[in-house]
Amino acid sequence: MTTKDRSLAALGLNDVPARQPLTYPGRPTPEPSLLTGDELLQLDVRPLRLGEWFVEEQREQRRLDEALAELGQVVTGRRHPVIAVGSNASPGQVAHKLTRLGIPATVPMVPVRVHGIGVGCSGHISPAGYVAGTPYVDRGAETTLVVAWLDSTQLKAVDDTEFPDYRRAILPGDEFEMTMPSGERLGGAYIYFSAHGVLADPASERPRPGGGDQSELLASLLASSARLRELLGPDPAAWVRRAGADRELRERGTLIFGEEGWVLPQTEFLPYVDDSAELRLYDDLQPMEGSLP
């Protein structure tokens, strides 16, 4: 029996980038976990589908699907797996997005090894004032990204925070290998990608790496553009304060990204865009053959 404090605050996972933009993207879920309100409970990984893993609780262990049902929440098979790039991997941010709308923040969150996806920086300034992350297709990349299993109400809430700056695609498991800690290779998962393209590194003309220190990123962008310094400078703190308070400044800054020649178009996700009214469930996305006993 464990008595460890599993609160987000005790775990140092309670950053909310929407409130503190320079903390973006927040700390991601470090291990397979069940977010439930302001707690993050460990999951005991089994070589089985997610719902058969066990939840480590203070009183006893129980199967994840049993724990969800006892909480009155949707079981894993009726949820939608969503690859989180940026702050949607942060339990503090996810809890904030959901609870402020009165939606229970009960979400399984699992680090997954994903092939074919790199993490860059979106070619726009977000409503909170930071420059958010975005995935891009890089067939040689292998990246550990958190997958969150959202129910339909939670997915709609996250959609509303992402659209229209991001679009949702569904990646097939036979083209983008996604390996769970259990060995299961997911049959597919949703992902959000920027409608504004991805920022390029001027030196390499490749996507600028995303997901790192936000202050460092903004300082680099300011140093590279006199127009940005005039608009949002002189430093990262001024940038997020001014941009977060003024939509017109955000739009002008986003235009400068393009006018400086920094934005690469995002076209490789377009074949996977999912505008269907019928959302795919974990139960619909069967594991790739041979990945589970």
Side-chain angles (χ1 to χ4, degrees):
M1 178 166 58
T2 179
T3 58
K4 184 177 179 182
D5 186 350
R6 299 297 301 179
S7 69
L8 297 182
L11 297 172
L13 295 169
N14 59 335
D15 287 342
V16 179
R19 291 177 173 164
Q20 300 168 297
L22 292 181
T23 68
Y24 183 89
R27 288 187 57 202
T29 302
E31 60 189 348
S33 306
L34 172 64
L35 173 66
T36 177
D38 63 354
E39 289 190 312
L40 196 69
L41 306 178
Q42 291 175 295
L43 293 177
D44 182 11
V45 177
R46 306 293 173 96
L48 301 165
R49 294 277 274 177
L50 177 63
E52 301 297 317
W53 299 4
F54 276 70
V55 182
E56 299 277 3
E57 297 192 32
Q58 291 187 343
R59 295 180 306 280
E60 60 181 304
Q61 279 194 339
R62 68 190 70 192
R63 290 171 52 250
L64 176 54
D65 276 349
E66 291 174 344
L68 289 169
E70 287 180 15
L71 291 168
Q73 302 301 306
V74 177
V75 297
T76 56
R78 307 300 298 170
R79 290 173 176 260
H80 313 281
V82 181
I83 300 171
V85 176
S87 64
N88 287 338
S90 163
Q93 181 90 324
V94 172
H96 168 74
K97 284 187 175 185
L98 297 176
T99 56
R100 71 186 179 89
L101 298 172
I103 298 170
T106 305
V107 182
M109 303 179 74
V110 181
V112 172
R113 208 166 65 248
V114 181
H115 288 262
I117 298 296
V119 177
C121 304
S122 178
H124 83 294
I125 300 172
S126 78
Y130 50 69
V131 175
T134 185
Y136 62 92
V137 175
D138 179 353
R139 295 295 180 180
E142 179 180 330
T143 312
T144 297
L145 298 169
V146 172
V147 175
W149 270 258
L150 303 177
D151 67 29
S152 57
T153 300
Q154 293 167 339
L155 182 63
K156 174 62 166 61
V158 173
D159 275 353
D160 289 345
T161 69
E162 302 295 334
F163 297 159
D165 293 316
Y166 287 79
R167 300 185 69 183
R168 179 165 27 83
I170 186 161
L171 303 184
D174 58 349
E175 295 185 47
F176 298 88
E177 187 175 301
M178 298 168 264
T179 306
M180 299 269 279
S182 59
E184 176 184 352
R185 295 196 304 277
L186 296 177
Y190 287 104
I191 196 167
Y192 295 96
F193 68 97
S194 177
H196 299 275
V198 60
L199 290 183
D201 182 333
S204 67
E205 299 184 350
R206 295 271 302 152
R208 180 189 286 265
D213 184 271
Q214 182 71 190
S215 291
E216 184 178 315
L217 170 62
L218 299 186
S220 175
L221 295 174
L222 286 167
S224 300
S225 172
R227 296 174 63 194
L228 281 177
R229 289 195 298 276
E230 180 180 354
L231 183 70
L232 296 171
D235 54 35
W239 174 310
V240 294
R241 183 177 64 252
R242 298 174 70 184
D246 191 325
R247 178 177 178 176
E248 183 181 351
L249 286 183
R250 295 195 297 271
E251 292 175 348
R252 287 168 61 192
T254 296
L255 284 174
I256 290 172
F257 288 173
E259 291 164 358
E260 293 282 8
W262 295 345
V263 180
L264 300 171
Q266 288 258 54
T267 58
E268 291 184 279
F269 284 119
L270 294 180
Y272 310 105
V273 167
D274 181 69
D275 294 322
S276 171
E278 190 71 26
L279 294 172
R280 305 290 297 281
L281 300 169
Y282 182 46
D283 271 352
D284 300 330
L285 300 163
Q286 288 300 303
M288 301 302 295
E289 186 175 352
S291 64
L292 282 178

